[in-house]
Amino acid sequence: MKKIVVAIDGPAGAGKSTIAKLVGEKLGYAYIDTGAMYRSVTWKFLGTGEAFDEAFIGALSNKMIIEFKPEAKVNRVFVDGTEVTDAIRTPEVTANVSRVAAIGAVREAMVDQQRRMGEIGGIIMDGRDIGTVVFPNAELKIFLTASVEERASRRFKEIIAKGQECDLEQLKQEIAARDKADSEREISPLKQAEDAILLDSSDMTIDEVVQTILKMVEERL
Ligand code: DC
């Protein structure tokens, strides 16, 4: 059967990773979380203890080997053989990742790897620039979004469910700040591709979003 490339872009916390993983499993496609790649570079950089320097971080990103090992619940992530699945989700990494993802050399290195992963099709990739830059010819492009309130409230529930404390207002502010940084950066900003389908998941369940996307894939096969 024909295998296509599915690109899912959208702002932080819209549920891209959850949705893309489920759709990938249903289709038997490889799922690539490109946010995890930018987070991996950020983790590696923070671990060096060096001051922020674009050339240094760019060189670092070129030398790293990032690998994904999909499992039932999570997509495990490895950097140079070390597991970083949880380490790339800390508040420290989250607070620094937009800055790292704005570096041209870092984006070049990541886009290069992403294109190689998608060469043979049968892939679902989520990020900010997949439909606009990485795979401008993807057969299906979706721009998945939800209101800031809804995205903050989903994240709030996830954190509380883990038994951790957090502040909803602060979460809202952090999400809005990351939207702004990702949308206003010079290189490959977060932006809906002209031929992408806008999907607002604010009032949809995860299953509804997954089913909607599966139907779109079917129409393209
Ligand atoms: O999806 P996420 O929150 O894990 O992404 C982390 C950061 O990486 C996000 O702030 C923007 C950046 N990113 C990017 O610039 N381009 C991508 N394709 C994916 C993520």
Side-chain angles (χ1 to χ4, degrees):
M1 207 203 288
K2 184 178 157 193
K3 290 198 159 186
I4 65 170
V5 171
V6 182
I8 303 192
D9 289 302
K16 298 185 301 293
S17 306
T18 308
I19 302 291
K21 182 166 170 45
L22 289 169
V23 172
E25 280 166 8
K26 289 265 184 218
L27 293 171
Y29 282 19
Y31 157 56
I32 305 294
D33 171 359
T34 63
M37 297 172 73
Y38 291 97
R39 287 175 178 274
S40 293
V41 178
T42 307
W43 172 84
K44 181 97 183 168
F45 158 62
L46 291 172
T48 65
E50 295 288 328
F52 189 91
D53 178 85
E54 295 203 353
F56 173 73
I57 302 171
L60 207 62
S61 72
N62 262 298
K63 284 187 298 205
M64 291 170 56
I65 297 174
I66 304 172
E67 291 166 300
F68 291 100
K69 293 203 177 128
E71 279 186 10
K73 284 249 183 294
V74 286
N75 232 18
R76 295 172 71 194
V77 189
F78 295 79
V79 170
D80 300 327
T82 300
E83 175 152 21
V84 296
T85 314
D86 294 326
I88 61 172
R89 307 272 162 205
T90 61
E92 197 196 3
V93 169
T94 303
N96 285 280
V97 65
S98 284
R99 241 177 14 139
V100 169
I103 301 171
V106 171
R107 302 207 69 85
E108 269 173 42
M110 295 302 113
V111 169
D112 207 45
Q113 288 196 28
Q114 290 153 12
R115 287 193 179 136
R116 269 186 272 131
M117 292 168 177
E119 253 166 14
I120 50 163
I123 198 161
I124 180 160
M125 197 172 272
D126 87 271
R128 305 292 190 286
D129 61 339
I130 313 306
T132 51
V133 176
V134 183
F135 294 120
N137 298 321
E139 287 89 344
L140 176 59
K141 298 181 186 177
I142 291 157
F143 196 82
L144 185 65
T145 185
S147 65
V148 172
E149 286 70 24
E150 180 59 28
R151 288 185 277 139
S153 143
R154 288 176 191 169
R155 185 83 193 104
F156 181 77
K157 286 179 196 151
E158 274 171 20
I159 296 172
I160 296 295
K162 280 190 201 160
Q164 295 163 0
E165 279 183 27
C166 76
D167 179 75
L168 183 61
E169 241 351 275
Q170 193 190 338
L171 272 180
K172 247 189 243 175
Q173 282 171 18
E174 282 169 9
I175 287 181
R178 207 134 68 86
D179 282 359
K180 190 167 151 55
D182 293 343
S183 310
E184 291 180 356
R185 70 167 175 238
E186 220 161 287
I187 315 166
S188 307
L190 168 67
K191 174 172 118 213
Q192 184 178 345
E194 271 178 23
D195 51 351
I197 299 166
L198 179 67
L199 197 53
D200 187 330
S201 73
S202 300
D203 298 315
M204 292 171 88
T205 64
I206 291 174
D207 192 51
E208 282 169 342
V209 179
V210 170
Q211 294 306 326
T212 304
I213 296 177
L214 286 173
K215 216 177 273 163
M216 292 174 185
V217 173
E218 232 168 70
E219 286 164 10
R220 277 154 185 83
L221 291 177

